[in-house]
Amino acid sequence: MSEQHSKARHRRGRKALAVGVPLALTAAGTLAYGTDLGLLGERAQHKASAATTATPAWATATADGFASVNSLGQDGTYGGRDGQIVTVKTQADLEKYATAAEPYVIVVAGTITMNPVGKEIKVQSDKTIVGAGTSGHIVGGGFFLGQGVHNVVIRNLTIRDAYQGIWNDKDHDFDAIQMDGAHHVWIDHNDLRHMADGLIDVRKDSTNVTVSWNKLSQNNKTFGIGWTENVVTDITIHHNWIRETEQRNPSTDNAAHAHLYNNFLEDVAGTDIKSSYGNYSRGRTAMVLENSYFQGMNNPVTKDSTATLVQRGNVFSGTSGRNESGGTAFDPKAYYSYTPNSAASVPSLLKSGAGPRSSIGTTGSAASTKAATTLTVAKDGSGQYSTVQAAVNAVPANNASRVVIAVKPGTYRGTVKVPSNKPHVTVQGTGGSRKDTVIVYSNAAGTPKPGGGTYGTGGSATVAVEADDFQARNLTISNDFDEKANQNLSGHQAVALRTAADRVFLDGVIVSGDQDTLLVDTAAKDKLGRVYMTHSYVVGNVDFIFGRASAVIDRSVITLKKRWDGTSGGYVTAPSTAADRKGILIANSTINGDVSDRSFYLGRNWHAGGDASLDPQTTVRNSTLSAAVRTTPWSDMGGFSWKDDRFAEYKNSGAGAGSASSERPQLTDAQAGGQEVADWLGDWTPTAS
């Protein structure tokens, strides 16, 4: 990529969690969807009223939060993972398998209307009950988990409409999910609404419960915890969207440890349902409440004088009444690992990510419902293939299911191309570090091709990804082109990784080069191309994150590198975004390196081929900037003024951060609310597979 002109190219033991979303999630987050442990494999499968289903990938996941903690003889929560898989469409079949003594994965593949109204099926231990896509509905009833029931997962279901016409109904105790003395329960990605009593009741010393990524709405009593004088319950509540509910949002009574984070409590203006209170720490509860978003709630946070409640990082918009805290509570990280999203991102994150998802269960994409094939690569001959490209070549054309290329530690010198007709490929290093497995080559734009001509920028890539739904993790992708030794070449742009596809997930990788390290492109100018990079490193000096894709660099480190001659100076980003697309978003990350102070721009506007219709975009937010960043961090390119395009910052910190000016645009809070990670990703939730 030329520097001088427009580019004419385009209490219990602590247990660590593996990264999953989302998430959520989170998270992805984070991460937030739990850890896929692999599918159940070939086994005899029972039949219910319909044919058996292939194993839903998420049906084998394990819980995060307190449900992941090893206690009471149960190490984590994974439901019916070790049992047989059945698909049910009738109440009789659902009840048959849910109440059985054996473990089962029960896939609900239609609407089941409970008879009599209000019936709660008595679920037994070691069960996963998961909706098939968005088709799994339980109408007019729910589930009950009694004393000692444990290791239960309820996911991706809609449970609704037991309401009997009386708002504060004392006569019909019809809950969506009730537990009395259960433990190790995970309630995830459900839509719970319009019941006669509670949506979720966690009662009578139930413990080791995680409630995540649910939509809770249209109800009086939302979520009650307690009904005991004992201080026993450990519960994690994260990434839930609670809206149009009146009370118990949740109400937490005598909980030993209640950890609430990244929830969105919304009292919708103009409706008949008014909130009386939000999160409530009652009795002797110890509560930690962080990075949640409260919109329009009355009495958003309340506590009894006997309870403790620690608040941090929450956002309150249009709220009124009690907002309380006090005491020291506890440190959730003493029990499990987690990484909360910023509170400002929560509304958009949950609006797009909470509730049942079409990609869970049997009606999701084929790639999510079939067991992954694994191909092994090893330089020493111990794998099926000795090069990564040979393994890619072995992937069937137009493959419908995930293929994991497991690459053993070593340095693999050569180029790799994943063509557009080979989607659902994961390339994963198997070493203990992302540095153990390295794919590297040294082509540059001006390098002569064997058949004549030169490679050009895109053609110089060490790894080129043209297939959708690609993932890479735990490895290094590098271009080690030696600029100093090749001053005679016409082009020094040397790409390490080029993506020209949609839904590219880069997790725990290093992408390293000098000029034009990471090219995030699309398959065509009118095509959407989304890239999500997290927990990774990008190393370079000139325009080293560039292209027209909608790309997110999240929770990563961007390392600035000196030029071949020892000088400092360069540009982090060079977006060439279409006017109706999102460009490059750097969020929750760090930009630093062993370079001179005030020598690097955050970006410049690339109107590829002189195309005036483009509207390049880079946003850098909630990130730490070293002193290497210039005080005027944006630059013109190719005769186009960056001020006519989309360049901005939001709440950055560090020596390289600066206040708002005409040379340094800063987003308002309202603008930042529309420039979150979820806004970039849309209906795609990156999930490790």
Side-chain angles (χ1 to χ4, degrees):
M1 188 187 272
S2 170
E3 293 183 72
Q4 303 302 324
H5 54 79
S6 176
K7 304 177 182 182
R9 54 178 160 75
H10 89 310
R11 84 191 171 258
R12 299 166 174 120
R14 177 173 179 171
K15 182 176 182 178
L17 299 180
V19 175
V21 163
L23 51 97
L25 175 29
T26 224
T30 35
L31 318 314
Y33 298 132
T35 306
D36 288 334
L37 295 182
L39 306 182
L40 302 183
E42 300 294 334
R43 65 180 74 212
Q45 298 183 3
H46 282 277
K47 291 186 178 180
S49 59
T52 57
T53 178
T55 307
W58 283 13
T60 61
T62 59
D64 59 1
F66 273 114
S68 73
V69 173
N70 184 357
S71 66
L72 300 175
Q74 178 67 36
D75 189 1
T77 302
Y78 46 85
R81 182 188 69 195
D82 298 327
Q84 296 170 328
I85 309 153
V86 293
T87 299
V88 301
K89 294 184 177 179
T90 68
Q91 178 179 333
D93 283 329
L94 175 59
E95 193 163 4
K96 171 184 175 182
Y97 292 109
T99 61
E102 303 86 2
Y104 281 104
V105 174
I106 305 166
V107 182
V108 180
T111 298
I112 296 176
T113 301
M114 303 298 283
N115 184 21
V117 173
K119 181 177 181 62
E120 295 175 11
I121 291 176
K122 295 182 178 179
V123 180
Q124 296 303 305
S125 300
D126 304 318
K127 302 294 185 295
T128 293
I129 306 175
V130 59
T134 58
S135 68
H137 286 234
I138 308 297
V139 179
F143 299 104
F144 176 84
L145 283 63
Q147 183 67 43
V149 170
H150 59 277
N151 192 29
V152 174
V153 176
I154 299 175
R155 309 185 80 190
N156 214 52
L157 292 168
T158 297
I159 306 177
R160 58 180 173 87
D161 296 329
Y163 184 64
Q164 298 296 293
I166 300 172
W167 184 243
N168 193 16
D169 198 333
K170 303 292 187 182
D171 297 320
H172 301 99
D173 183 14
F174 300 163
D175 299 321
I177 302 171
Q178 178 177 323
M179 56 191 82
D180 283 5
H183 66 93
H184 288 88
V185 179
W186 186 22
I187 301 170
D188 178 71
H189 272 285
N190 301 289
D191 182 350
L192 311 177
R193 52 185 156 92
H194 209 225
M195 300 297 286
D197 193 55
L199 298 180
I200 303 174
D201 278 356
V202 179
R203 314 190 328 162
K204 299 183 179 178
D205 298 342
S206 294
T207 190
N208 294 101
V209 177
T210 296
V211 179
S212 57
W213 293 95
N214 300 285
K215 294 172 64 175
L216 309 174
S217 65
Q218 300 177 357
N219 222 68
N220 177 19
K221 303 169 185 175
T222 309
F223 187 174
I225 304 163
W227 288 275
T228 178
E229 294 300 315
N230 302 320
V231 183
V232 171
T233 299
D234 286 353
I235 188 166
T236 304
I237 303 165
H238 71 83
H239 291 94
N240 298 283
W241 184 12
I242 301 173
R243 65 189 302 269
E244 292 193 275
T245 58
E246 183 172 326
Q247 57 180 312
R248 300 182 185 171
N249 292 307
S251 172
T252 308
D253 187 26
N254 288 333
H257 303 97
H259 183 205
L260 285 63
Y261 70 94
N262 283 154
N263 298 297
F264 179 30
L265 277 67
E266 182 183 23
D267 189 334
V268 182
T271 68
D272 293 334
I273 300 175
K274 302 297 181 185
S275 58
S276 58
Y277 61 89
N279 296 163
Y280 188 0
S281 183
R282 298 178 56 187
R284 290 177 287 165
T285 291
M287 178 180 290
V288 174
L289 168 61
E290 56 184 334
N291 289 33
S292 290
Y293 198 109
F294 297 79
Q295 176 69 53
M297 296 293 294
N298 296 313
N299 303 307
V301 184
T302 63
K303 67 176 287 292
D304 288 350
S305 61
T306 53
T308 59
L309 196 160
V310 171
Q311 284 202 49
R312 52 179 174 251
N314 300 305
V315 171
F316 300 91
S317 176
T319 61
S320 61
R322 296 170 66 180
N323 188 348
E324 300 167 342
S325 61
T328 57
F330 63 99
D331 179 8
K333 290 185 177 179
Y335 299 89
Y336 52 84
S337 299
Y338 71 101
T339 303
N341 300 106
S342 67
S345 70
V346 163
S348 60
L349 186 64
L350 296 192
K351 287 178 181 179
S352 64
R357 308 305 302 275
S358 61
S359 59
I360 305 177
T362 58
T363 61
S365 68
S368 69
T369 60
K370 294 183 179 180
T373 298
T374 299
L375 308 177
T376 59
V377 177
K379 287 178 64 65
D380 61 5
S382 61
Q384 296 166 279
Y385 306 94
S386 60
T387 69
V388 179
Q389 187 63 59
V392 172
N393 294 343
V395 176
N398 302 309
N399 53 296
S401 59
R402 174 68 52 187
V403 177
V404 176
I405 298 175
V407 187
K408 293 187 178 182
T411 297
Y412 297 81
R413 179 161 287 277
T415 60
V416 176
K417 181 177 179 179
V418 184
S420 60
N421 66 346
K422 296 191 177 186
H424 318 307
V425 168
T426 296
V427 178
Q428 179 168 328
T430 63
S433 165
R434 69 194 97 196
K435 296 181 180 180
D436 291 344
T437 303
V438 180
I439 304 172
V440 60
Y441 207 65
S442 57
N443 282 335
T447 301
K449 296 172 66 175
T454 60
Y455 281 101
T457 301
S460 72
T462 300
V463 175
V465 175
E466 298 178 353
D468 291 346
D469 197 23
F470 174 84
Q471 301 188 5
R473 60 176 49 85
N474 195 40
L475 52 79
T476 295
I477 299 171
S478 179
N479 190 315
D480 64 353
F481 170 69
D482 187 342
E483 288 189 73
K484 183 176 181 179
N486 290 278
Q487 287 296 294
N488 61 311
L489 293 186
S490 59
H492 288 186
Q493 304 89 347
V495 176
L497 173 62
R498 174 175 71 90
T499 70
D502 190 31
R503 302 186 308 278
V504 175
F505 184 20
L506 308 173
D507 181 10
V509 301
I510 299 171
V511 183
S512 179
D514 286 303
Q515 185 174 341
D516 290 16
T517 303
L518 175 60
L519 170 52
V520 286
D521 206 351
T522 66
K525 187 175 179 179
D526 61 344
K527 296 289 188 181
L528 179 63
R530 290 167 293 181
V531 178
Y532 180 69
M533 170 182 274
T534 187
H535 297 99
S536 295
Y537 291 81
V538 188
V539 182
N541 48 42
V542 176
D543 301 334
F544 63 98
I545 302 171
F546 72 108
R548 66 188 175 200
S550 299
V552 178
I553 314 296
D554 185 25
R555 303 181 190 280
S556 295
V557 177
I558 296 169
T559 302
L560 310 175
K561 186 178 180 181
K562 288 183 178 179
R563 304 300 307 278
W564 65 271
D565 58 2
T567 61
S568 291
Y571 310 83
V572 176
T573 67
S576 58
T577 323
D580 60 347
R581 299 286 191 192
K582 299 287 190 183
I584 296 171
L585 173 65
I586 298 172
N588 313 302
S589 295
T590 297
I591 300 176
N592 61 18
D594 184 17
V595 296
S596 301
D597 288 357
R598 310 304 178 192
S599 59
F600 272 76
Y601 292 95
L602 290 176
R604 57 180 178 171
N605 53 335
W606 177 27
H607 285 257
D611 188 347
S613 71
L614 300 179
D615 192 11
Q617 180 183 33
T618 295
T619 297
V620 182
R621 59 173 299 162
N622 304 105
S623 293
T624 303
L625 312 182
S626 77
V629 175
R630 289 176 176 263
T631 55
T632 55
W634 308 107
S635 178
D636 299 339
M637 185 177 186
F640 293 90
S641 171
W642 70 265
K643 292 183 179 180
D644 295 331
D645 295 313
R646 295 175 289 169
F647 292 88
E649 298 175 76
Y650 180 69
K651 291 190 176 179
N652 293 318
S653 60
S659 57
S661 71
S662 61
E663 299 298 319
R664 195 153 197 174
Q666 304 284 328
L667 300 177
T668 66
D669 289 346
Q671 291 169 331
Q675 295 198 36
E676 305 284 357
V677 171
D679 298 310
W680 254 251
L681 302 183
D683 62 357
W684 174 44
T685 302
T687 306
S689 60

